[in-house]
Every structure is written in structure tokens, then in C-alpha cells.
Amino acid sequence: MARRHPNLARLAALLLLALVTMFASCNRLSPGRPAAFVPGAPTIGDGGIGASSQVQIDHPLYAGLARIVAGDGIIDLGWDAASDDHDSAESLRYRVYVSPTSGDQVFAAPVLETAPGVTSSQLTGLPNNVPVYIVVRAVDTEGNEDVNTVEWLGLPNPVLFVGPSGGGAPDGLTPTSAFATVGQAVSAGIPLNGVNIYVAGGSYPENVFLFPGMAIYGGFTASFVVSDRDFVANPTQFSSTFPVDLVTMLPGNAPVSIDGCVMSGNNINEAGVIVDNVPFQITNCEVRDMVIHGVEIRSDVAEADAVTGTLRGCSVIRSGGEGVLIIALGDITIDNNQITQNGNEGVESQWLYTETGNTTRIELTRNRILDNGDEGIDLDFAELSETDPSLSQGGRIRVLIRANDIRRNSLAGVQLDLDFENSDGIDFEARIEDNRISSNRGDGISLDGDARGSFRMARNVITANSLVGVSIDGSPDGPWCRILNSRLLGNGASGILVRDHAGVEVRNCAVGYNGNGAVRSPRSFVDVVNTLLVGNGGAASEISTLRYSTVFAEPLPATPGVNVSTADPRLELWPSAVRHAVGAAGAAEILITETTVFAVGDTVELRDDGVPRTVESVAADRIAFSPPLESATVVGDAVFAYGTSLSVMEREGFFDGS
């Protein structure tokens, strides 16, 4: 593993001591016994199904810290206003929490709290060259605080300026003596052992090498006033006429950052940003039109070095290869990005590794991963060495894929592949939760587990994918999978397909109108509980145990199970049929079979995109509709039929007849 720089360790200790002194007056109390739960009045109607599942949120809704600028002993903070159901945005306050190490903020002790309605702040008196990890939370007038953990890294250091010079010999020390190029600032910053480079908006035809401890902040005006900085209105753009990587973060222990910049490849440059074995933060950037990768993150796996860092608030678009490629051990957060129209995968690891006694972690949250040429997310995991399994014995891998919009990718929406063996002794857990995974040309989710592991898929909407909703492979001594509280609707093949021996538990799901059965499982154990299976095509589902569920408008499984209902569940705003395109057509028509389920004037929905469309004509092999889609229909596109009286607006739950 990479060793800490001794000076950084001492400075971090000083900062920690200051924080401990600051918080010394706070009492540490043992938590009291939890009060017994007493249910309140029903929150919808007169109670019944769904009433107990309503969650009341008392705290403000807030996306967290959105931008920082580190300077000489200071860090400026900014964010977008939170919202609240009782208080106006002008009355909300914000609490700032800091720590010298990632994830260790003490949320009982903010370092400051803003006045009402203020959406910026500043940390001052900070030691230079000591990282500060910051979380900001919103609080309402009753003291209810949101619970976000969106963390940003700031590294205070001296400042150099790049942009239009006011005359005289440029030395980068003042706005009026700014350097003309980032390369000049980097050269001048090397002896400083860390520097923050402020870059005015403009075009910079250069490729940039950043040494450990360096940060670039783009989007400034010529006055370099932080409050006037706007990286959208004043873009700082890097490009090169040579086939090189545009920005390279060089190896080391001190973090490297780039914020508010555009890396424009012009289909000439190979990669937009290379992270090479160094802690990193890439934020509020646009990376576009690269020949190979948008962002490449790698560590020295042969030396068991790990990389930690964050890609947040960025647009990674139109790379010829992967949008984001990872080959590393480490702890990586990919949050709140738009990763679209890349030639291969949106996000791919080849591979993520782990080592004895340590945890490799990857988190993908709040991203829009759309229209990529292969999988939306394709993560492969491997042992550190095939010849020496002891190097990974006891290592852990943790995966979180949450609250992403993953649509229209050319293969699977999400693919996870365990390429290690049980003898490697790796502790693997993956959680795929609260995602929308729709209209991908392959499977919605594809899991390939050749070793023990735990997959938990909860509260996902998995709809209109061309092949299987959730596809699972596994060895006889392989993973256990749980599919919970999810909707698998209108996928072209099965809702759930288990090809090998993996065990699968399905609870509280709605599995409907999939093309080849709700569940296909020739050799595995599949336990289905409290689930709706409605209108799936093909032969009866292959389910090991079916309990407390409803099977309607499709063949019953060979073993019906315990307390299985066959009555119409009378689902509210549920499609009456789903059909899939069998060929390509225009943007205002879809080529399908069995068009008799449609009539002129019906409401339909394409690709589960939430837009109601009206059937204009019906032929033997196609229907036409308006308004048109944003692109032509292709093989596998799904069309949902709703008849003449139903809208496309979907609400889960049973129809109560009122």
C-alpha cells in the first residue's frame, strides 16, 4: 500500500488536535433505549394496503455541497438551496462539518452554522497542505437536519493565477501578473509542494500534468473573485492538436483535483483525464469527444497500491471507448454525473481488485448513464494474483449502485462479474438499489457469480429491456441473490432468468408482461413470496417455492405453492399488454406482431419513458403514434398499451374500486 508522507501525517495530526479541542466541550452520551413503536393514523385513505409503507420525511431535502475553491489557508464553499415542506428556502440554515480524514465527520459538532438562507460559506485559518474533508447539511427552523454524506475534499495551499495578464512580467502571484498557460503555473508550483491554480475562462491548447498536492479551478473571470466564478458561463477549456492525454494526475500521496474545466478531445486526444495512482477529485467538469477513454482511473496493482477519490458533477460524453475505465484497488465514488453516448461501456472496470485485510469499494450514485455503446455499467472483480491466492485472503469488495438512471445502453444496463474463485477467500457484497433500469438493448441487470457473494437488489424499476429483466449465473457454491420490492415489467424475455445454480429470493415484487415468463430457472432454487405475476408470456414459471402471491393471466407454475391467488389483482394504471419491436422503423411508428391489442385513439407508452402517446393508425405489422420519439424505434423497443381511458401515470398499489 502507498505510505503516507510524514509531513502530511504530522499536519493532519495537528488539524485533528485542533478539531478535538474545538469539540471538547461536547458531551458524549450513551444512547437511550429506543422507544416502542406506536403506529399513527393512516396516511392515505382509510388505511389498508400501502398505508403502513408511507414514510414521512421531517428534514429538508438537500443535495449536499456542490462546489468548493481551496486557497491559501482557506476553503470557499457553495451549494444550491435545499427545500422543505414547511419552511421557505430563505429560512433554512446549513451546518458545515469537517474532518482531516474521509468519512470521519462528527455530525454532533458542526464547525459553523450559516445564517438563514445563505448558500455559501468559508473555512479560514486552515493549515496549508493538510487535506480537509467537508460535508454540509441543511437544517430547518425546528432543528431537523438532513442526513446526506456528500463529501468534498479541499487542500489549502498558495494560489497561482492563469489568464489574461494586466501587463508586466508574469509571475502568477496576482491577477494582474497571471501566467498565460497552466503549464507555467505547474512549473512554478512544483517547489511549493502543493498549489491551487485559479484559471480564467478561455481556451488553453495544452495538455496538463498535475503533481501531487496540485489543484486546478476553472471558470474565473479576469478579476479572479471567487464569488464571480461561473464555470458554465466562463468555460475553461483544454485541448490539443496532438494525440495525447489531456490531463494526467501523476502518482503520489497528496491529493490532486480539477474542478470546473472542459476537456475537449475533438476526436484527436486519447483520454480526457488519467488518474495514475494518486488520491483524486474530479468535479464539475465536462470530458467530451475523446478517442479512447473519458476518464481512466488506475493504481499499481502489482505493488498492491490503492487509489481513492471522487468523480462528481461531471459530463463524460462521446468517448470512442469507455466513458470511465477503472483498473485499480481502492475506494472510488462516482456520483451525480452524466455519462452518455460513449462508444463502449459507460463505466467499466477491468478489473477492480482487493487484497488481504483491506476493502475495495466502488459507489455509483445519482448518475445518468444513457445511450452508451455497450453496457451502462460493467464491473469485473478479480483476485490480486492467480498464482498466490493468499494475497486476497480476507479481502473485501463492496459495491453500491443506487439512485441511477440507466437507460438505452446497447447491451445490459448493469453487469457484475465475479472473476475470482472461492479459494481466493474474498468477502463480496453488492447492493443495487433505487435505480431505474429501462430500455437497454440487453438485460436489465446481469449477474455472473462464479464464487460466493451476496447480491441485494431492492426497489428497482426494471422495465422495457430487450432481453431479461434480471439474469443470474452462478456456480453450485456461488452467490445468493435477493430481489426485493422491485417492478420487472415489459422486458422482452423473462422477468427473471437463473441459468445455473445460484439461489434466488424474490419478495414483494411485481413481475408483469415479460415476454418469456415471470421466472425461468431450470436448475436453481427460487423462492417467490408476496409477489404479483401478471400476464407474462410463454410457459408457466419455474419456481421452487411460491407463497402468498398472485398469479393472474398466465399459466400457473407446476407446483402452485402456498396461499396462491389466481384472482384479478385489479392493479391501478397497469398496462393491458406489452409488445416488443421486431424490426427497425421510424420515430413515429413501431414494427410489432399482434397489433390487435391496439386501436386508434388508444394511449400507449414507448420505452417506459413516461410520455403518453396516441395511436394514430394500426396495420398488420405496425402501429403509428404521436408525438414521435426522440429517435427511431429499433428491435427490442417496448410499447405499453393502456386503452382509451388510462393515462401513462403509474402508481403502485391495488385499485380499491372507489
Side-chain angles (χ1 to χ4, degrees), residues 299-318:
S299 70
D300 190 344
V301 176
E303 296 296 326
D305 285 339
V307 61
T308 63
T310 299
L311 175 70
R312 173 176 288 132
C314 296
S315 173
V316 184
I317 183 170
R318 295 192 302 268

mmCIF file of all heavy atoms in Angstrom, residues 299-318:
data_model
loop_
_atom_site.group_PDB
_atom_site.id
_atom_site.type_symbol
_atom_site.label_atom_id
_atom_site.label_comp_id
_atom_site.label_asym_id
_atom_site.label_seq_id
_atom_site.Cartn_x
_atom_site.Cartn_y
_atom_site.Cartn_z
ATOM 1 N N SER A 299 -4.430 2.138 -10.483
ATOM 2 C CA SER A 299 -3.412 2.084 -9.441
ATOM 3 C C SER A 299 -2.417 0.997 -9.804
ATOM 4 O O SER A 299 -2.669 0.169 -10.688
ATOM 5 C CB SER A 299 -4.032 1.811 -8.068
ATOM 6 O OG SER A 299 -4.533 0.487 -7.985
ATOM 7 N N ASP A 300 -1.300 0.983 -9.110
ATOM 8 C CA ASP A 300 -0.260 -0.001 -9.371
ATOM 9 C C ASP A 300 -0.652 -1.294 -8.673
ATOM 10 O O ASP A 300 -0.283 -1.544 -7.522
ATOM 11 C CB ASP A 300 1.089 0.513 -8.877
ATOM 12 C CG ASP A 300 2.250 -0.361 -9.340
ATOM 13 O OD1 ASP A 300 1.992 -1.499 -9.773
ATOM 14 O OD2 ASP A 300 3.401 0.094 -9.271
ATOM 15 N N VAL A 301 -1.416 -2.112 -9.371
ATOM 16 C CA VAL A 301 -1.940 -3.335 -8.786
ATOM 17 C C VAL A 301 -0.809 -4.298 -8.430
ATOM 18 O O VAL A 301 -0.853 -4.988 -7.408
ATOM 19 C CB VAL A 301 -2.948 -3.993 -9.751
ATOM 20 C CG1 VAL A 301 -3.440 -5.323 -9.191
ATOM 21 C CG2 VAL A 301 -4.120 -3.052 -10.004
ATOM 22 N N ALA A 302 0.234 -4.345 -9.237
ATOM 23 C CA ALA A 302 1.343 -5.255 -8.978
ATOM 24 C C ALA A 302 2.016 -4.951 -7.647
ATOM 25 O O ALA A 302 2.538 -5.855 -6.983
ATOM 26 C CB ALA A 302 2.361 -5.180 -10.113
ATOM 27 N N GLU A 303 1.991 -3.678 -7.230
ATOM 28 C CA GLU A 303 2.573 -3.288 -5.950
ATOM 29 C C GLU A 303 1.516 -3.170 -4.852
ATOM 30 O O GLU A 303 1.818 -2.705 -3.751
ATOM 31 C CB GLU A 303 3.302 -1.949 -6.099
ATOM 32 C CG GLU A 303 4.496 -1.985 -7.041
ATOM 33 C CD GLU A 303 5.599 -2.898 -6.529
ATOM 34 O OE1 GLU A 303 5.784 -2.974 -5.299
ATOM 35 O OE2 GLU A 303 6.273 -3.532 -7.371
ATOM 36 N N ALA A 304 0.283 -3.592 -5.168
ATOM 37 C CA ALA A 304 -0.837 -3.533 -4.210
ATOM 38 C C ALA A 304 -1.104 -2.106 -3.729
ATOM 39 O O ALA A 304 -1.554 -1.899 -2.604
ATOM 40 C CB ALA A 304 -0.594 -4.467 -3.019
ATOM 41 N N ASP A 305 -0.834 -1.116 -4.573
ATOM 42 C CA ASP A 305 -1.173 0.263 -4.246
ATOM 43 C C ASP A 305 -2.649 0.510 -4.533
ATOM 44 O O ASP A 305 -3.207 -0.034 -5.488
ATOM 45 C CB ASP A 305 -0.319 1.232 -5.064
ATOM 46 C CG ASP A 305 1.112 1.314 -4.565
ATOM 47 O OD1 ASP A 305 1.333 0.955 -3.397
ATOM 48 O OD2 ASP A 305 1.988 1.719 -5.343
ATOM 49 N N ALA A 306 -3.255 1.345 -3.723
ATOM 50 C CA ALA A 306 -4.676 1.645 -3.867
ATOM 51 C C ALA A 306 -4.864 3.109 -4.226
ATOM 52 O O ALA A 306 -4.030 3.958 -3.922
ATOM 53 C CB ALA A 306 -5.421 1.322 -2.576
ATOM 54 N N VAL A 307 -5.981 3.390 -4.872
ATOM 55 C CA VAL A 307 -6.325 4.755 -5.240
ATOM 56 C C VAL A 307 -7.681 5.088 -4.638
ATOM 57 O O VAL A 307 -8.595 4.253 -4.630
ATOM 58 C CB VAL A 307 -6.343 4.937 -6.778
ATOM 59 C CG1 VAL A 307 -7.368 4.048 -7.438
ATOM 60 C CG2 VAL A 307 -6.579 6.392 -7.156
ATOM 61 N N THR A 308 -7.811 6.292 -4.092
ATOM 62 C CA THR A 308 -9.075 6.765 -3.546
ATOM 63 C C THR A 308 -9.452 8.060 -4.231
ATOM 64 O O THR A 308 -8.581 8.855 -4.599
ATOM 65 C CB THR A 308 -8.981 7.004 -2.032
ATOM 66 O OG1 THR A 308 -8.018 8.033 -1.773
ATOM 67 C CG2 THR A 308 -8.569 5.740 -1.299
ATOM 68 N N GLY A 309 -10.762 8.281 -4.401
ATOM 69 C CA GLY A 309 -11.155 9.545 -4.995
ATOM 70 C C GLY A 309 -12.581 9.572 -5.476
ATOM 71 O O GLY A 309 -13.331 8.589 -5.346
ATOM 72 N N THR A 310 -12.942 10.718 -6.045
ATOM 73 C CA THR A 310 -14.324 11.013 -6.409
ATOM 74 C C THR A 310 -14.387 11.631 -7.797
ATOM 75 O O THR A 310 -13.606 12.528 -8.133
ATOM 76 C CB THR A 310 -14.940 11.989 -5.387
ATOM 77 O OG1 THR A 310 -14.936 11.392 -4.094
ATOM 78 C CG2 THR A 310 -16.363 12.353 -5.770
ATOM 79 N N LEU A 311 -15.363 11.158 -8.586
ATOM 80 C CA LEU A 311 -15.778 11.799 -9.837
ATOM 81 C C LEU A 311 -17.198 12.274 -9.607
ATOM 82 O O LEU A 311 -18.105 11.455 -9.422
ATOM 83 C CB LEU A 311 -15.703 10.800 -10.989
ATOM 84 C CG LEU A 311 -16.216 11.273 -12.347
ATOM 85 C CD1 LEU A 311 -15.276 12.309 -12.943
ATOM 86 C CD2 LEU A 311 -16.382 10.095 -13.307
ATOM 87 N N ARG A 312 -17.428 13.590 -9.609
ATOM 88 C CA ARG A 312 -18.749 14.101 -9.208
ATOM 89 C C ARG A 312 -19.125 15.321 -10.041
ATOM 90 O O ARG A 312 -18.308 16.203 -10.316
ATOM 91 C CB ARG A 312 -18.737 14.468 -7.726
ATOM 92 C CG ARG A 312 -20.017 15.157 -7.249
ATOM 93 C CD ARG A 312 -20.020 15.415 -5.756
ATOM 94 N NE ARG A 312 -20.193 14.172 -5.010
ATOM 95 C CZ ARG A 312 -19.441 13.805 -3.965
ATOM 96 N NH1 ARG A 312 -18.459 14.588 -3.562
ATOM 97 N NH2 ARG A 312 -19.675 12.674 -3.337
ATOM 98 N N GLY A 313 -20.391 15.360 -10.424
ATOM 99 C CA GLY A 313 -20.931 16.538 -11.099
ATOM 100 C C GLY A 313 -20.388 16.766 -12.490
ATOM 101 O O GLY A 313 -20.404 17.888 -12.986
ATOM 102 N N CYS A 314 -19.942 15.697 -13.149
ATOM 103 C CA CYS A 314 -19.290 15.831 -14.454
ATOM 104 C C CYS A 314 -20.164 15.284 -15.576
ATOM 105 O O CYS A 314 -21.071 14.485 -15.354
ATOM 106 C CB CYS A 314 -17.951 15.093 -14.456
ATOM 107 S SG CYS A 314 -16.742 15.782 -13.297
ATOM 108 N N SER A 315 -19.848 15.704 -16.786
ATOM 109 C CA SER A 315 -20.422 15.144 -18.005
ATOM 110 C C SER A 315 -19.299 14.450 -18.761
ATOM 111 O O SER A 315 -18.287 15.080 -19.083
ATOM 112 C CB SER A 315 -21.041 16.256 -18.857
ATOM 113 O OG SER A 315 -21.466 15.751 -20.110
ATOM 114 N N VAL A 316 -19.479 13.151 -18.992
ATOM 115 C CA VAL A 316 -18.494 12.366 -19.739
ATOM 116 C C VAL A 316 -19.221 11.834 -20.968
ATOM 117 O O VAL A 316 -20.046 10.929 -20.873
ATOM 118 C CB VAL A 316 -17.913 11.226 -18.886
ATOM 119 C CG1 VAL A 316 -16.826 10.496 -19.654
ATOM 120 C CG2 VAL A 316 -17.361 11.767 -17.567
ATOM 121 N N ILE A 317 -18.906 12.382 -22.132
ATOM 122 C CA ILE A 317 -19.762 12.171 -23.292
ATOM 123 C C ILE A 317 -18.936 11.936 -24.556
ATOM 124 O O ILE A 317 -17.882 12.544 -24.757
ATOM 125 C CB ILE A 317 -20.700 13.407 -23.469
ATOM 126 C CG1 ILE A 317 -21.673 13.202 -24.625
ATOM 127 C CG2 ILE A 317 -19.907 14.691 -23.610
ATOM 128 C CD1 ILE A 317 -22.762 14.261 -24.697
ATOM 129 N N ARG A 318 -19.406 11.012 -25.364
ATOM 130 C CA ARG A 318 -18.910 10.749 -26.715
ATOM 131 C C ARG A 318 -17.449 10.311 -26.772
ATOM 132 O O ARG A 318 -16.741 10.657 -27.720
ATOM 133 C CB ARG A 318 -19.140 11.955 -27.634
ATOM 134 C CG ARG A 318 -20.598 12.284 -27.888
ATOM 135 C CD ARG A 318 -20.740 13.290 -29.026
ATOM 136 N NE ARG A 318 -20.031 14.528 -28.765
ATOM 137 C CZ ARG A 318 -20.556 15.598 -28.188
ATOM 138 N NH1 ARG A 318 -21.821 15.587 -27.830
ATOM 139 N NH2 ARG A 318 -19.823 16.682 -27.993
#
